[in-house]
Structure formats: C-alpha cells, structure tokens
Amino acid sequence: MTFQQLQYFLEVQKAGTFSQAAKNLFVTTSSVSITIGNLEKELGYPLFIRTPKGLTLTANGKKVLDHASHICEQYRQLGHIQDNSYSALH
C-alpha cells in the first residue's frame, strides 16, 4: 500500500466518481481507476460499490476511510514541524 493510493482513495470518496477525482488530482481517470483497483486487490476486498450514479463506500471502505484520513492527516502535520534546534546549528 502506498501513500498515493490512500490519497487517491480519499479523493475518490470525496469526489464521488473516478472521473471527478481524476480532474481534482490532475491525472487521468484510468490512472485513478487502476490505482484504486490495485489497492482493492492488495487489501482483498472492494472499497466502493460502483453504480451508474457514482460510487458508494462499502462497509470495509468506511473502515479504510477512517484509517486513511488519520494517516494522511498525520502526514500533513509532519510537514508543519519546525526543528528550531537544527536551524540554530546551521
């Protein structure tokens, strides 16, 4: 599992469709679809119910959403840490 897969998963869930998620991520729809498909294969279960009207999270998808959201938030917070001791040394 990669961080990019989690980011794509979160964007697909937010956007509701692969095509809208792809637009938001500035990538192709097939790239998003393949990435989500690979994530589902790796996890061993579907994350979305695919319908003509869009996507809905499966029960497992909802569980993954909670974890993926937490992981991505922690990653964002790491980017805001400033180590003043490092800059004082240089």
Side-chain angles (χ1 to χ4, degrees):
M1 175 179 326
T2 67
F3 186 70
Q4 181 185 51
Q5 287 173 317
L6 296 179
Q7 289 178 305
Y8 280 29
F9 167 72
L10 291 174
E11 189 58 43
V12 169
Q13 186 276 326
K14 180 179 162 187
T17 66
F18 289 140
S19 60
Q20 186 58 52
K23 288 178 188 176
N24 297 346
L25 293 165
F26 302 102
V27 298
T28 64
T29 301
S30 63
S31 175
V32 172
S33 180
I34 290 167
T35 300
I36 297 301
N38 288 339
L39 179 58
E40 290 175 324
K41 284 179 191 173
E42 187 174 339
L43 292 172
Y45 47 80
L47 298 169
F48 296 100
I49 298 168
R50 291 147 172 88
T51 69
K53 293 185 178 185
L55 302 167
T56 304
L57 285 173
T58 63
N60 283 332
K62 290 177 185 176
K63 292 176 186 175
V64 171
L65 176 64
D66 290 338
H67 292 288
S69 297
H70 181 73
I71 290 166
C72 289
E73 179 56 32
Q74 292 297 310
Y75 182 83
R76 280 189 283 279
Q77 288 180 14
L78 283 173
H80 296 295
I81 294 174
Q82 293 182 342
D83 187 354
N84 293 329
S85 62
Y86 177 79
S87 57
L89 295 173
H90 291 85

